[in-house]
Amino acid sequence: MNTMYHDRQELLGHLANVATGLSRIRGINETAPIAEGTFSIQFDEWDWEIGVGVYGLYRHACQTGDLDLINALADWYDWQISRGLPPRQVNSTAPMLALSFLIDDVERPEWEALVKDWAEWLMISLARTEDNGFQHVVKERMNDGELWDDTLFMTCLFLARAGKRFDRPDWVEEAVYQFLIHARYLGDAKTGLWYHGWTFNGRHNFAGALWARGNSWITIAIPELFSIVGDLPRATRLYLSNVLAAQVNAFAKLQNDDGFFHTLLDDPGSPIEASATAGIAYGISRGISLGILPEDMRAVAERAYAAVLTCIGDDGIVAHVSDGTPMGHTLDFYRQIPDIPAPYGQALTMLMLVDAIARTAKT
């Protein structure tokens, strides 16, 4: 255990601070420390930003044994479901990931039915591209013929988890297939990194952007898939392990002197991006813990971890997090995305801290 990760109590303090920062951004009782159990979650939206946030809160609750937070999450899902959920698409699937785990903690048959129904909808009704990829349909647009790297985290992890939870190997197989088809069209063989998107309408990668947060979704999603599925076929496991290792090897060459990654990974003149840096730190450490990556890759994660800690303000808000980023057609588009306080920045930092806490428990 590297001393960079500090002791458990210090880590719990960071985690509570960041979780409270998340509350200040999007509506948990602002004055309540996360550990007191006196708050309620009031996120009004049901979309990808909140989906990442509630997954971070769920992992926080599991790691710390916070039953009050589990109950607060259950209350939030109850409220959202009772008021009617928005139309189904890739980004509105993101909150389903935490729900597919929460049904192990809260006995609600109607939630189990929702998880099953939503997974079946993905299988049957979500628009497909050529080669049967999940088209990145969002509430604003259909994105005809487009694959985005966000899809694997926002949709495919949920489908894999639902498949394991309800003994539906066809759902698991479809989720794994989506990882393979996305790797084919979004992975860059020269660098080992991933492009933000691909379109079959013109057959190109848009601006050719090696976007940092998009890459971090992949760094997280591959280990999470391994953890969820558990029994991947040997050839698939080897393939995805090598895809992840190639990406991390590229990260090691592009990390700046302070441990950060830039919004465009291969452009040190573009802004630093803390949410991507946190996601990369988490994904690498998770991959090492699962035996997907070698231990000698931990140095990249440790430097990224230390960098993100410097971004956490006294109010718990994580700085240097770029705004939600649609597909860019020029590299300057990515350079000009402004920084904002964002739920996903908080959540990715929480995942990084939760992993560090789990590691302290093993020493």
Side-chain angles (χ1 to χ4, degrees), residues 216-263:
S216 78
W217 295 131
I218 305 305
T219 318
I220 296 167
I222 291 176
E224 293 293 275
L225 181 72
F226 277 55
S227 176
I228 288 167
V229 176
D231 54 353
L232 285 167
R234 180 184 176 276
T236 303
R237 181 182 180 88
L238 183 61
Y239 175 77
L240 290 176
S241 296
N242 287 332
V243 165
L244 182 62
Q247 188 194 44
V248 176
N249 282 326
F251 289 154
K253 301 171 186 175
L254 298 170
Q255 192 170 25
N256 75 15
D257 292 341
D258 295 323
F260 287 104
F261 295 94
H262 294 267
T263 300

Side-chain angles (χ1 to χ4, degrees), residues 143-308:
N143 292 324
D144 181 64
E146 296 180 15
L147 301 175
W148 293 27
D149 45 21
D150 315 48
T151 304
L152 297 183
F153 185 98
M154 305 305 164
T155 297
C156 299
L157 291 180
F158 160 70
L159 185 59
R161 164 60 184 170
K164 291 300 289 187
R165 178 62 164 74
F166 295 109
D167 194 23
R168 287 292 301 267
D170 56 325
W171 296 353
V172 175
E173 185 176 18
E174 181 63 49
V176 173
Y177 175 75
Q178 293 302 321
F179 274 73
L180 302 179
I181 201 65
H182 280 70
R184 177 184 177 190
Y185 289 103
L186 300 181
D188 174 36
K190 291 182 180 179
T191 63
L193 301 170
W194 287 53
Y195 294 112
H196 187 182
W198 164 267
T199 177
F200 286 96
N201 300 325
R203 306 186 75 86
H204 57 76
N205 292 109
F206 296 96
L210 300 170
W211 177 47
R213 191 162 61 241
N215 271 266
S216 78
W217 295 131
I218 305 305
T219 318
I220 296 167
I222 291 176
E224 293 293 275
L225 181 72
F226 277 55
S227 176
I228 288 167
V229 176
D231 54 353
L232 285 167
R234 180 184 176 276
T236 303
R237 181 182 180 88
L238 183 61
Y239 175 77
L240 290 176
S241 296
N242 287 332
V243 165
L244 182 62
Q247 188 194 44
V248 176
N249 282 326
F251 289 154
K253 301 171 186 175
L254 298 170
Q255 192 170 25
N256 75 15
D257 292 341
D258 295 323
F260 287 104
F261 295 94
H262 294 267
T263 300
L264 293 172
L265 287 164
D266 57 344
D267 178 7
S270 64
I272 60 172
E273 218 297 326
S275 70
T277 303
I280 289 167
Y282 170 76
I284 292 173
S285 183
R286 188 94 162 110
I288 293 169
S289 297
L290 291 168
I292 308 168
L293 294 172
E295 182 65 35
D296 62 12
M297 291 181 171
R298 188 168 303 278
V300 177
E302 290 179 342
R303 293 180 63 227
Y305 168 92
V308 174

Side-chain angles (χ1 to χ4, degrees), residues 61-210:
C62 291
Q63 182 59 48
T64 58
D66 190 340
L67 296 180
D68 290 314
L69 181 51
I70 290 289
N71 291 332
L73 285 164
D75 288 343
W76 180 79
Y77 276 104
D78 201 28
W79 170 56
Q80 286 284 353
I81 293 167
S82 68
R83 70 202 291 242
L85 299 181
R88 298 179 185 187
Q89 30 91 352
V90 167
N91 284 345
S92 66
T93 301
M96 295 297 295
L97 178 59
L99 184 63
S100 69
F101 285 97
L102 190 63
I103 56 177
D104 286 351
D105 302 284
V106 180
E107 187 175 351
R108 294 292 293 271
E110 68 273 26
W111 292 359
E112 294 188 15
L114 174 63
V115 169
K116 292 178 184 178
D117 186 65
W118 201 298
E120 192 64 22
W121 179 86
L122 291 172
M123 295 289 292
I124 296 171
S125 299
L126 180 62
R128 304 277 185 135
T129 67
E130 290 180 32
D131 293 354
N132 279 315
F134 279 176
Q135 184 169 300
H136 193 79
V137 180
V138 297
K139 63 184 178 183
E140 297 88 357
R141 63 191 69 87
M142 286 294 294
N143 292 324
D144 181 64
E146 296 180 15
L147 301 175
W148 293 27
D149 45 21
D150 315 48
T151 304
L152 297 183
F153 185 98
M154 305 305 164
T155 297
C156 299
L157 291 180
F158 160 70
L159 185 59
R161 164 60 184 170
K164 291 300 289 187
R165 178 62 164 74
F166 295 109
D167 194 23
R168 287 292 301 267
D170 56 325
W171 296 353
V172 175
E173 185 176 18
E174 181 63 49
V176 173
Y177 175 75
Q178 293 302 321
F179 274 73
L180 302 179
I181 201 65
H182 280 70
R184 177 184 177 190
Y185 289 103
L186 300 181
D188 174 36
K190 291 182 180 179
T191 63
L193 301 170
W194 287 53
Y195 294 112
H196 187 182
W198 164 267
T199 177
F200 286 96
N201 300 325
R203 306 186 75 86
H204 57 76
N205 292 109
F206 296 96
L210 300 170

Side-chain angles (χ1 to χ4, degrees), residues 21-22 25-26 48-49 53 213 273 275 317-319 321-324 339-349:
L22 174 57
I25 292 171
R26 289 291 177 88
W48 74 273
E49 291 191 0
R213 191 162 61 241
E273 218 297 326
S275 70
I317 304 297
V318 180
V321 173
S322 58
D323 202 352
D339 287 346
I340 62 166
Y344 49 86
Q346 304 297 123
L348 291 172
T349 302

Side-chain angles (χ1 to χ4, degrees), residues 30-58:
E30 292 187 8
T31 60
I34 199 78
E36 285 188 4
T38 59
F39 57 85
S40 63
I41 300 173
Q42 299 164 17
F43 300 144
D44 190 53
E45 304 97 327
W46 176 285
D47 204 14
W48 74 273
E49 291 191 0
I50 301 307
V52 178
V54 294
Y55 184 63
L57 286 171
Y58 178 77

